[in-house]
Amino acid sequence: MKEILVLYYSRGGSVAGLARQVARGIGEVPGMAARLRTVPPVAPQTQQVLPPVPEEGAPYLEARDLDECVGYAIGSPTRFGSMAAPMKHFFDGLGAQWASGTLVGKPACVFTSTATMHGGQESTLLGMQVPLLHHGCVIVGIPFTETRLSTTRTGGTPYGASHVSGPQDDAELSDDETQLARALGKRIATIAALLSSGTHAS
């Protein structure tokens, strides 16, 4: 069984909800599975070391997760049109992986959540793709053959899955958001299966 790393930071639960739907889509592809991981929060001042396993949710990422997985789905909430600091901190710490080419040639996709409809989803998704391109990843989006992209009234972009969580961060994923996140998971798993087997898509 080959695995896709579904790595996310989620403070209110919205990005974690998207991550679970992306993982479901990955699991729909024969021979593929999702490996859910998260990154720890960061703080402006030194704090007590966090335990190696969070109290709830997915475990924290380990370096071997990047080595062992054949693709990556990365999720972060939006902070003023960009990824959250914990996810940026993760990317900033990948110097060794960049030098060794760990991520080169592997497919990667991104997903995000915002409180409002025009809260910076697309700029966040595009910004998250930049370090993945530096690492040599093959960027995977959602094509407009997914008809929900043209009809959604909530989240969903061609750059990646997204969710509009509302001002209180309590809105459930809409049906469109759910299905588009699952479609993204299925798409990256399908492409990862082809690339990791040496088969080329026609």
Side-chain angles (χ1 to χ4, degrees), residues 42-47:
V42 296
Q45 297 179 347
T46 302
Q47 294 183 334

Side-chain angles (χ1 to χ4, degrees), residues 141-151 157-158 179-180 183 187:
I142 303 175
F144 275 91
T145 48
E146 294 293 335
T147 57
R148 289 174 183 268
L149 276 183
S150 299
T151 60
T157 83
Q179 295 304 319
L180 288 169
R187 181 170 172 79

